[in-house]
Amino acid sequence: MSKGLHIGLIGGIGVAATVVYYQRLTAAVNARGGQLDLTIVHADVQELIRNNLADDRQTQAKIYARLIDRLKAAGCDCAAITSLGGHFCFDETVPLSPLPLVSAVTPLDAYFATQAIQKVGLLGTRVVMRTRLYGQLRQTEAVALDGEIETLGQQYQEMAVAGQCTDAQRSLFLDAGARMVDDLGADAVVLAGTDLNLAFDGRDPGYRVIDALDVHVDLLADLAIGAKTLN
């Protein structure tokens, strides 16, 4: 086993998601018997939303690069974005980043395959749902409620910014998941928005739910203890 990595997280997009990353990554490393070396920098969620909606990838990539400069200065070995919606400019950020970036999207396809999942329903930002998670799912078919992407995306955005989920928003997301399973034939619903834990945690919606955050955290925890290395 190689030496563990100092993990750098770009947080703040939104705050609730960052807290969950911190909690789950700490728990995952503890469960592995390791010690976590972690630094978090804070990004601006409103700035991210503006650039995401405008599809201004270069501007957001430059913002990320400045934040990653700070993570490198703090001694981090790699960096990760604590927002699946925030991955919309991942490819543009890679050449600007002074540190290796650990994607939250790339591990999902392999994970679904190991779970023998053939079709997943996506909940998250407008872009995540519209692009079927950036077109990166090769082994698994992705579906979304195409006629409701604007409504679901707006409610997700409002929940992420507020850092809390209303009863009406929770009902909307739980029902959307059920219809992707019942009407579109999804084997599982993927929480492809990092703040969706606010709606789903502690709930049994009656269908299989996969939190993409957990797949990302498992990879980061393995890197943190040296169980995996950066490719």
Side-chain angles (χ1 to χ4, degrees):
M1 185 177 294
S2 61
K3 180 181 179 295
L5 301 184
H6 180 167
I7 306 295
L9 297 181
I10 298 176
I13 44 178
V15 172
T18 309
V19 171
V20 176
Y21 259 90
Y22 190 20
Q23 290 172 331
R24 295 189 189 178
L25 182 55
T26 301
V29 171
N30 286 343
R32 288 162 169 78
Q35 188 171 10
L36 180 62
D37 199 2
L38 175 70
T39 299
I40 303 175
V41 290
H42 180 75
D44 187 306
V45 68
Q46 295 294 349
E47 193 171 49
L48 171 67
I49 289 170
R50 286 194 300 272
N51 291 329
N52 184 283
L53 291 178
D55 197 28
D56 192 346
R57 303 179 191 183
Q58 290 297 336
T59 295
Q60 188 63 43
K62 290 175 183 176
I63 292 168
Y64 283 156
R66 290 196 296 270
L67 293 168
I68 298 167
D69 279 336
R70 291 168 55 192
L71 291 172
K72 183 178 181 181
C76 294
D77 298 305
C78 63
I81 300 165
T82 61
S83 162
L84 280 158
H87 276 63
F88 80 103
C89 61
F90 188 89
D91 290 343
E92 289 76 13
T93 305
V94 169
L96 304 179
S97 175
L99 292 174
L101 287 179
V102 182
S103 172
V105 178
T106 304
L108 289 175
D109 201 27
Y111 175 80
F112 297 149
T114 64
Q115 298 292 306
I117 294 172
Q118 296 182 341
K119 183 184 288 189
V120 294
L122 295 177
L123 286 175
T125 66
R126 297 170 178 86
V127 177
V128 159
M129 292 184 286
R130 192 173 295 123
T131 63
R132 301 300 194 258
L133 200 62
Y134 309 116
Q136 290 193 28
L137 299 183
R138 305 276 190 268
Q139 303 177 72
T140 304
E141 181 186 356
V143 296
L145 296 173
D146 288 328
E148 300 170 46
I149 284 177
E150 182 61 32
T151 299
L152 290 166
Q154 181 62 34
Q155 289 303 310
Y156 175 75
Q157 177 182 309
E158 291 178 9
M159 179 184 68
V161 171
Q164 56 187 6
C165 183
T166 67
D167 290 340
Q169 288 168 334
R170 181 174 292 106
S171 295
L172 179 73
F173 295 132
L174 292 174
D175 176 67
R179 286 186 287 121
M180 284 190 284
V181 171
D182 295 339
D183 300 340
L184 302 182
D187 300 313
V189 171
V190 180
L191 306 187
T194 324
D195 297 271
L196 280 164
N197 65 89
L198 294 169
F200 280 81
D201 274 7
R203 308 280 166 169
D204 179 7
Y207 48 84
R208 185 174 182 185
V209 175
I210 297 172
D211 194 339
L213 186 157
D214 286 330
V215 178
H216 198 203
V217 163
D218 279 344
L219 175 55
L220 292 171
D222 284 341
L223 291 170
I225 67 167
K228 290 185 179 177
T229 57
L230 294 168
N231 295 325

